Amino acid sequence: MSGRGGEQRRGSARNRRRGTVDDDRSLERRPGSKDRGVRVVYVACEGEKSEVDYLNYLTKEFGDGEEGRPPFRIQPISKKNGYLPTETVAAVRRYADTDEAWVLFDRDGTDRDEDIRQALKEAAASKIEVGFSHPSFELWLLLHFQPFSGAQNGKSKIVVDKLRSAPGAAAYKDYDIRNKSLKGGRRDALRGREKTAAVNAKALVGTCEHGDCKGGRATAKPVSRDALAQPSPRWSARSGHSEHCPDLKRDPSTDVWRLLAALEIVPHSR
């Protein structure tokens, strides 16, 4: 449910610390994060609104390192009208250098499957973590409120309809492609439901049609990007799916929970 095209500027120098990195300007990198004790995670998003709002929410809600979590800051990277999946990989590789890097993108139809396959290959080669959602990021939002099952063939309509009417999700009743903000009441509705969403997301791995996929096998600890001798990861196995499970057949599924597990917001296992 994301568009693509031109670029825009957001924010000012004052709010760049937690704002979005735009594609049309250079990023003020903060390589001293380890010295400050703050973990900096760069995340390139296919969409320009809901994913960015969500990542900023995670930093604001959990980034201070309370309850035993190490402090972190997520630096979203996006552009107006969105990126293609391969473009998310290129963008985060450019901005993150050898720092921890993730990409978030969706199936979002059936007209760009080859681009998704190429993005997954390039992410693995560059040791970039992937949060792939099928059919869309809205599935991850829905799982905060209820489980979901049933193949959607890349279409988000039913997922969004369920989100609008889910118990506890009244703030999403008017959510649509023109109104995708996750601020205010929508942000508040997500608060405290992260573990529920992760459990529901991992449960979907076990229902995969491949038959040999198990959410409990997933791993969330990021691979080191500067260890060149380390083999490139196999994203199927890291997400709990079988190494032989086709990426585009995981319908419905979302790996966004792995980012939260990596940041110790939710447990790594059940």
Side-chain angles (χ1 to χ4, degrees):
M1 294 186 67
S2 58
R4 296 164 192 90
E7 301 166 353
Q8 72 176 16
R9 292 183 182 273
R10 290 188 197 86
S12 64
R14 181 172 57 85
N15 64 15
R16 284 177 190 171
R17 182 178 183 274
R18 289 184 175 175
T20 301
V21 174
D22 296 319
D23 189 58
D24 60 348
R25 66 171 172 80
S26 61
L27 170 63
E28 179 188 353
R29 287 182 43 76
R30 302 175 184 271
S33 59
K34 293 181 180 178
D35 295 336
R36 299 193 316 272
V38 177
R39 175 179 176 184
V40 179
V41 182
Y42 292 81
V43 183
C45 308
E46 174 188 354
E48 63 171 313
K49 187 58 181 175
S50 54
E51 294 95 327
V52 172
D53 284 352
Y54 183 74
L55 295 174
N56 286 332
Y57 156 73
L58 291 180
T59 295
K60 184 175 181 180
E61 185 74 7
F62 303 103
D64 289 341
E66 298 176 355
E67 299 183 8
R69 285 185 302 271
F72 66 83
R73 175 173 60 86
I74 299 175
Q75 178 63 69
I77 302 168
S78 69
K79 72 173 182 179
K80 185 177 180 180
N81 296 324
Y83 285 121
L84 286 169
T86 50
E87 292 173 336
T88 66
V89 177
V92 81
R93 188 165 49 208
R94 180 167 66 254
Y95 288 122
D97 192 22
T98 59
D99 289 343
E100 184 174 351
W102 290 70
V103 290
L104 301 182
F105 56 80
D106 309 334
R107 175 78 187 279
D108 197 22
T110 58
D111 60 339
R112 59 207 190 114
D113 288 358
E114 185 54 41
D115 190 81
I116 291 173
R117 294 188 186 97
Q118 185 63 29
L120 292 169
K121 290 178 182 177
E122 293 177 5
S126 297
K127 300 181 175 64
I128 294 168
E129 296 285 346
V130 177
F132 175 52
S133 296
H134 193 335
S136 64
F137 181 75
E138 284 74 24
L139 173 62
W140 171 245
L141 300 178
L142 175 61
L143 295 178
H144 285 70
F145 304 101
Q146 66 179 59
F148 182 79
S149 61
Q152 302 301 301
N153 299 310
K155 298 179 180 179
S156 295
K157 183 180 185 307
I158 292 177
V159 173
V160 173
D161 287 347
K162 292 281 188 183
L163 176 61
R164 289 172 181 154
S165 60
Y172 289 84
K173 64 183 179 180
D174 57 349
Y175 183 98
D176 61 30
I177 193 170
R178 294 171 298 278
N179 183 11
K180 301 184 71 173
S181 170
L182 295 187
K183 297 178 180 178
R186 292 179 181 172
R187 173 201 60 213
D188 296 342
L190 299 174
R191 185 175 287 115
R193 299 177 184 266
E194 292 80 17
K195 292 180 181 178
T196 296
V199 168
N200 288 335
K202 286 188 281 187
L204 283 177
V205 180
T207 64
C208 182
E209 68 177 23
H210 185 271
D212 191 30
C213 303
K214 296 179 172 33
R217 288 200 309 237
T219 181
K221 183 178 180 181
V223 296
S224 174
R225 299 194 62 226
D226 56 5
L228 299 180
Q230 184 175 341
S232 294
R234 299 180 68 94
W235 294 134
S236 293
R238 291 181 63 75
S239 62
H241 289 271
S242 165
E243 292 186 1
H244 306 291
C245 178
D247 301 298
L248 300 179
K249 294 293 186 180
R250 303 170 192 174
D251 183 10
S253 67
T254 177
D255 299 331
V256 178
W257 73 270
R258 292 183 56 251
L259 173 60
L260 277 72
L263 295 171
E264 300 185 29
I265 297 170
V266 300
H268 290 66
S269 59
R270 294 181 190 276

